[in-house]
Amino acid sequence: MPRPLPPNRLELLATPEAGLTSMEAGRRLSLFGPNRIIEATAGSWVDVLKSSVTDPMLWFLLASSLLFAWLGDLGEAMILLVALLPLLAMDAWLHRRTQASTAGLKSKLAATARVRRDGSTVTRPAAELVPGDRVLLSAGEPVPADGLLVRVEGLQVDESLLTGESYPLRKATLPPNTLPGGLPDEANWVQGGTRVLAGSGEMLVVHTGAETSYGEIVRSAARGRQERTPLQQAVAALVRTLIVAALAFCLVLAWVRLEQGHGLVDALLSAVTLAIAALPEEFPVVLTFFLGVGIYRLARRKALVRRAVVVENIGRVSTICTDKTGTLTEGRLELTHRLPVSAHREAALLRAAALASRAEGGDPMDVALLAIQPPMDPAFLRLTTFPFTEERRCEISSWRAPEGHLVAAMKGAPETVFARCELTPPELEHWHRETDRLAGSGQKVVAVAERRGATEAPAGQEPTSGFTFLGLLAFGDPLRGGVTEAIAQCREAGLRVIMVTGDHRETAMAIARQLGIGGDSPRVLSGEELDEALDRSADHDPAADVIARATPMQKLALVQRLRALGEVVAVTGDGVNDVPALQAADIGIAMGQRGTRSAREVASIVLLDDNFRSLVQAIGEGRQLFANLQRSFQYLLMIHIPLVVTAAAIPLAGHPLLYLPLHIVWLELIIHPTALLAFQARQSARPLMAGYRPPDNRFFDRREWLAILGSGLLLTAVVIAGVANGLHSGQGIEHARSIALVMLTFASALIAAVLSGLRDRLSRGLVAATAISAIVLVQVPPVADLLHLQPLHWDDWLIATSGALAAASLAAVNQWRRRPPKACIGRAT
């Protein structure tokens, strides 16, 4: 989109055709600075490390590892160190990503430019361009700055990287002596970072460097920051709370045991045992493991994860802001409709359209036509060509046929072609209706005609009449396969989809209707209307299904507003124009096939097949993974609450230690693999229905916390009751210890069974192994003696099993209440 012309800039644009003098160009270069995108400083790995180590999760892993090494538990220490390394590498990569993305943005600008200086045309570094320079443009070259077009010859510019416009834009010459005082017309304006597809022209440089549209995008990307996800925040807060509570418990327990007269060794042993039980090392390990599983599974869904923590956030997505070209559509022009004047004239229609096309021009429409039309007979001789211009609105080519007669083929805007053909009023009305119908479906419509004659027209004279109308051709960007179904799944799951595109309003609306975005009557806003809607109030939701003619900053503003309103926003994009929004989104998703390096660098996820359907599958996978992680953390909390409380409460009451370090190791050998492996259910056949999206940014809602606390405290109560009964019966601490361990082990198996649903072979095997381990370790006398335990009677087993069932029942009730409807549950794959 054009940028306003500052009033003080107009006088600098009165440049003579000979261009600026070297002296004047040097003066302006010192005033405005070089035409260079803001560059990121290279930064050393020392700086990267300084930034990375500010993550409290990394410090917790390191401190916990050192503590377990000091306590003599080298296995736990090594596990924590292994978990630390990928997290440290991940943070280091994120720190350098902005620098890499800025470098990718910079690479899109021209390195050199042909400019008029001192009355001649010279090639200069693009960085030396200044406002007022006259720059020559040719096909295949990037545009080096923003400016006005003072001469155009069939100029077509690809602006998709900046605007998202799927079709090349034809440009027009700025009328002489009419420098605009405000916002220039789009047809007279070119932008740095775009590319000339066909034709040539001359531009008057207006904005350079950071003042260009491209420069604004780069500054926005450089200012962007990566926020911690709700999952990171919740786990970090949970870990901090548990660490403080564990250390406090250990100190209190050691002091109380000393006061009770049990001696220093007993006090230290009590504190060490409680520390091993209470320190929450499983949580970061489980988190790291689940993120790794998520990366693998998303990769199988054609979604390459560049930032592991988005595995959680992608499951929380509530709104998708998607571009159109290349994501919802295939990103190419295709001949979709042929409407000849009669059925037997279709071959003539296509042949005339091919005669009026040029393979060397690079026009996507010409490429699409010549791809389906066989090559012309080499005996055909091209005589003259009148290329498409904004004034002509058509292209005409004159040919000499092998038989000797002349053929003039014309294709272009229907109104222009109709005016040069002999059509009756009813025929004209009919073809106008057909044109409107095709254009209304979002397609680009051209009319085709030809004129045959025995003699050649005067040299250089364009034929303007006597043409025979042959019909209409319509071109469109075909929809990607499966996208319509994916949009329907989003709608059923309550997932909002907003299409943000640089296309015109009518094209955008037509595509939205075909896809089902917004139903039969999608709400469409232009970029300007979006600005007005966002300016009404800070909490106003634009409530649009489609944003047409959107600029990069408008797309960014939309994403920021949606996030401010509590939405978790995913943004898809492939071009430089998408970089700010990709960076600002909760989940930035770049296209892997046609996406620019800049878009891929700032994105959290890269779609390998550029397909919206893969995005929907990835969101479904993320929802399932997040639900699995929630269940794993629920399991950990439900087991650790009774383990820690009973490990502290029984010695605090003056009784002997309930658990020895060996017993804690036994329980941890059960808890660790169960938390890691028992909750890895795969996505169902209906991807968005398999999991669920939490209603807000909390990791657990209030009902889930009540279930966790209720189950944990109930299990704590029954363990304490069982231990008290064992102690009061006079059978000693070993008998009481056996009851406690059996209750905890059986509760672990039952809670894991409830939360996992036993939907795969691995979860069933872990639950069975847990229950069997309790029977073997307690009921086999030699093993029980070695572990300082005592075999139990059948009534003890009944008490222990009943207590475990009671604790697992609360988890079962909560799991049943949060389960999605049966119609939404697919068979695990």
Side-chain angles (χ1 to χ4, degrees):
M1 297 292 287
R3 297 171 62 79
L5 297 180
N8 61 356
R9 192 66 54 90
L10 292 177
E11 61 185 30
L12 300 177
L13 302 182
T15 307
E17 291 189 11
L20 298 174
T21 64
S22 296
M23 183 178 297
E24 176 62 18
R27 187 186 70 83
R28 297 188 183 187
L29 184 62
S30 62
L31 178 63
F32 294 99
N35 177 36
R36 186 178 294 123
I37 293 296
I38 299 174
E39 299 183 27
T41 57
S44 67
W45 281 105
V46 175
D47 296 329
V48 175
L49 185 60
K50 287 180 180 178
S51 175
S52 299
V53 298
T54 58
D55 189 342
M57 185 70 73
L58 298 176
W59 281 109
F60 163 70
L61 285 171
L62 181 60
S64 298
S65 177
L66 294 176
L67 178 58
F68 272 95
W70 179 72
L71 294 174
D73 194 339
L74 296 181
E76 292 289 351
M78 291 305 299
I79 291 175
L80 292 171
L81 283 178
V82 170
L84 182 147
L85 294 177
L87 290 177
L88 183 63
M90 187 191 313
D91 275 7
W93 176 257
L94 290 176
H95 178 79
R96 295 186 64 86
R97 192 176 64 183
T98 299
Q99 296 172 354
S101 66
T102 303
L105 289 166
K106 180 176 179 289
S107 68
K108 290 296 180 182
L109 286 181
T112 60
R114 291 179 298 124
V115 58
R116 298 190 190 278
R117 292 275 177 87
D118 300 314
S120 60
T121 301
V122 295
T123 300
R124 306 292 297 172
E128 296 182 7
L129 295 182
V130 296
D133 263 330
R134 300 177 77 99
V135 177
L136 303 182
L137 304 174
S138 299
E141 296 179 349
V143 178
D146 289 4
L148 294 163
L149 290 166
V150 294
R151 180 180 60 80
V152 163
E153 294 181 6
L155 187 69
Q156 295 187 54
V157 179
D158 177 10
E159 296 187 350
S160 60
L161 290 181
L162 283 178
T163 67
E165 173 68 59
S166 57
Y167 300 127
L169 299 180
R170 299 182 184 272
K171 298 295 182 177
T173 301
L174 180 73
N177 303 318
T178 58
L179 283 178
L183 191 67
D185 187 271
E186 185 175 3
N188 311 134
W189 184 261
V190 286
Q191 302 177 87
T194 61
R195 181 170 292 274
V196 177
L197 284 180
S200 61
E202 184 174 336
M203 68 176 287
L204 193 62
V205 174
V206 177
H207 297 300
T208 59
E211 291 186 342
T212 63
S213 298
Y214 202 99
E216 184 177 351
I217 291 173
V218 173
R219 292 199 309 276
S220 175
R223 290 193 301 264
R225 61 187 182 91
Q226 298 296 333
E227 298 179 357
R228 301 178 73 199
T229 68
L231 176 59
Q232 287 179 300
Q233 296 169 7
V235 172
L238 178 62
V239 165
R240 285 194 299 268
T241 301
L242 293 178
I243 288 176
V244 172
L247 293 178
F249 264 121
C250 292
L251 293 175
V252 170
L253 180 59
W255 178 78
V256 169
R257 296 297 284 182
L258 282 173
E259 289 295 315
Q260 291 173 344
H262 291 284
L264 181 60
V265 173
D266 182 278
L268 289 177
L269 184 60
S270 300
V272 168
T273 303
L274 182 59
I276 297 174
L279 287 178
E281 81 282 359
E282 295 98 343
F283 292 94
V285 172
V286 168
L287 172 59
T288 304
F289 182 80
F290 270 72
L291 294 181
V293 171
I295 290 172
Y296 170 74
R297 290 187 179 176
L298 290 176
R300 295 184 63 184
R301 297 287 181 178
K302 306 296 185 182
L304 178 63
V305 176
R306 294 170 44 81
R307 184 179 173 219
V309 291
V310 304
V311 173
E312 175 254 350
N313 249 4
I314 196 171
R316 305 172 68 93
V317 167
S318 59
T319 300
I320 302 174
C321 293
T322 176
D323 59 351
K324 176 184 73 69
T325 306
T327 306
L328 303 177
T329 64
E330 294 186 4
R332 61 181 178 85
L333 273 184
E334 178 182 78
L335 180 60
T336 56
H337 290 82
R338 313 171 188 184
L339 272 71
V341 291
S342 58
H344 67 279
R345 300 300 302 274
E346 181 173 327
L349 170 66
L350 292 175
R351 188 187 67 171
L355 288 173
S357 303
R358 290 175 292 160
E360 68 278 6
D363 187 318
M365 186 181 300
D366 290 354
V367 172
L369 268 172
L370 296 176
I372 63 171
Q373 178 65 18
M376 299 305 302
D377 188 332
F380 270 82
L381 176 64
R382 187 191 294 268
L383 302 176
T384 57
T385 295
F386 301 91
F388 187 100
T389 64
E390 287 300 316
E391 295 79 16
R392 185 177 288 121
R393 304 287 294 169
C394 66
E395 179 160 335
I396 302 175
S397 292
S398 296
W399 298 75
R400 185 176 298 280
E403 298 81 9
H405 63 270
L406 300 178
V407 177
M410 173 175 58
K411 78 174 192 307
E415 296 81 2
T416 302
V417 175
F418 293 161
R420 300 190 182 193
C421 296
E422 298 175 358
L423 293 171
T424 65
E427 290 175 332
L428 192 61
E429 182 181 356
H430 167 74
W431 290 111
H432 272 299
R433 283 199 306 269
E434 290 296 321
T435 300
D436 292 341
R437 179 178 65 83
L438 292 172
S441 63
Q443 299 179 86
K444 194 175 183 67
V445 184
V446 298
V448 181
E450 71 173 6
R451 190 179 78 169
R452 294 175 177 266
T455 60
E456 187 174 353
Q461 182 175 334
E462 178 182 346
T464 59
S465 60
F467 282 87
T468 300
F469 182 68
L470 297 179
L472 300 175
L473 296 176
F475 298 81
D477 188 359
L479 301 180
R480 280 188 173 272
V483 172
T484 302
E485 293 78 7
I487 294 290
Q489 290 176 5
C490 291
R491 188 167 57 247
E492 293 171 6
L495 194 59
R496 181 179 179 185
V497 178
I498 303 175
M499 185 172 75
V500 185
T501 177
D503 282 342
H504 290 280
R505 188 188 195 100
E506 293 76 14
T507 302
M509 179 178 288
I511 295 296
R513 283 174 174 164
Q514 292 180 51
L515 292 170
I517 297 177
D520 296 331
S521 302
R523 296 162 294 181
V524 182
L525 295 180
S526 67
E528 294 180 356
E529 291 170 338
L530 174 65
D531 284 336
E532 295 174 1
L534 296 178
D535 288 341
R536 288 173 194 163
S537 66
D539 58 353
H540 178 73
D541 187 333
D545 302 304
V546 178
I547 308 296
R549 306 300 289 167
T551 66
M553 294 304 105
Q554 288 165 342
K555 187 173 184 178
L556 172 62
L558 174 64
V559 172
Q560 291 172 333
R561 174 59 56 84
L562 291 172
R563 293 194 66 202
L565 295 174
E567 300 288 336
V568 179
V569 183
V571 172
T572 70
D574 56 12
V576 175
N577 62 307
D578 299 310
V579 167
L582 288 171
Q583 184 119 354
D586 294 283
I587 304 289
I589 302 168
M591 302 297 109
Q593 294 180 350
R594 69 191 305 269
T596 62
R597 176 189 173 192
S598 305
R600 293 195 299 269
E601 289 289 353
V602 301
S604 306
I605 292 176
V606 177
L607 287 185
L608 299 180
D609 60 355
D610 292 11
N611 199 325
F612 184 85
R613 179 175 56 182
S614 297
L615 168 59
V616 173
Q617 292 173 338
I619 292 175
E621 195 73 72
R623 289 187 173 189
Q624 182 67 67
L625 285 164
F626 181 70
N628 292 346
L629 183 59
Q630 279 188 312
R631 296 184 184 107
S632 180
F633 276 17
Q634 285 177 328
Y635 163 80
L636 286 173
L637 290 168
M638 289 177 179
I639 295 301
H640 270 86
I641 288 173
L643 174 60
V644 173
V645 174
T646 56
I650 300 301
L652 284 173
H655 300 292
L657 291 179
L658 181 60
Y659 311 114
L660 299 176
L662 189 61
H663 304 137
I664 300 299
V665 171
W666 166 19
L667 292 173
E668 292 295 335
L669 289 176
I670 292 173
I671 294 171
H672 275 218
T674 302
L676 290 172
L677 303 175
F679 307 99
Q680 295 294 338
R682 298 296 301 275
Q683 184 178 344
S684 70
R686 303 273 301 171
L688 289 181
M689 302 302 182
Y692 71 103
R693 179 174 55 85
D696 52 33
N697 285 336
R698 295 172 296 174
F699 192 63
F700 294 123
D701 60 29
R702 183 163 56 182
R703 187 181 71 243
E704 289 165 336
W705 273 118
L706 289 174
I708 291 169
L709 293 174
S711 180
L713 293 177
L714 179 58
L715 183 55
T716 301
V718 297
V719 170
I720 291 176
V723 169
N725 180 68
L727 292 173
H728 293 156
S729 66
Q731 300 186 63
I733 188 63
E734 293 183 348
H735 181 266
R737 182 180 293 145
S738 298
I739 292 177
L741 288 172
V742 168
M743 280 189 180
L744 288 173
T745 305
F746 270 36
S748 172
L750 291 172
I751 292 173
V754 167
L755 295 177
S756 69
L758 300 178
R759 284 183 287 176
D760 55 31
R761 190 177 304 170
L762 187 57
S763 62
R764 293 191 290 270
L766 285 168
V767 168
T770 298
I772 292 172
S773 71
I775 298 172
V776 171
L777 296 179
V778 173
Q779 291 304 112
V780 178
V783 178
D785 290 341
L786 185 64
L787 297 178
H788 305 285
L789 301 175
Q790 187 180 94
L792 300 178
H793 303 291
W794 68 269
D795 54 336
D796 297 320
W797 279 99
L798 182 60
I799 293 172
T801 305
S802 300
L805 283 170
S809 64
L810 286 179
V813 171
N814 182 66
Q815 185 72 2
W816 177 79
R817 291 181 62 186
R818 71 193 290 269
R819 182 171 298 169
K822 284 186 177 180
C824 299
I825 300 177
R827 183 175 59 85
T829 58

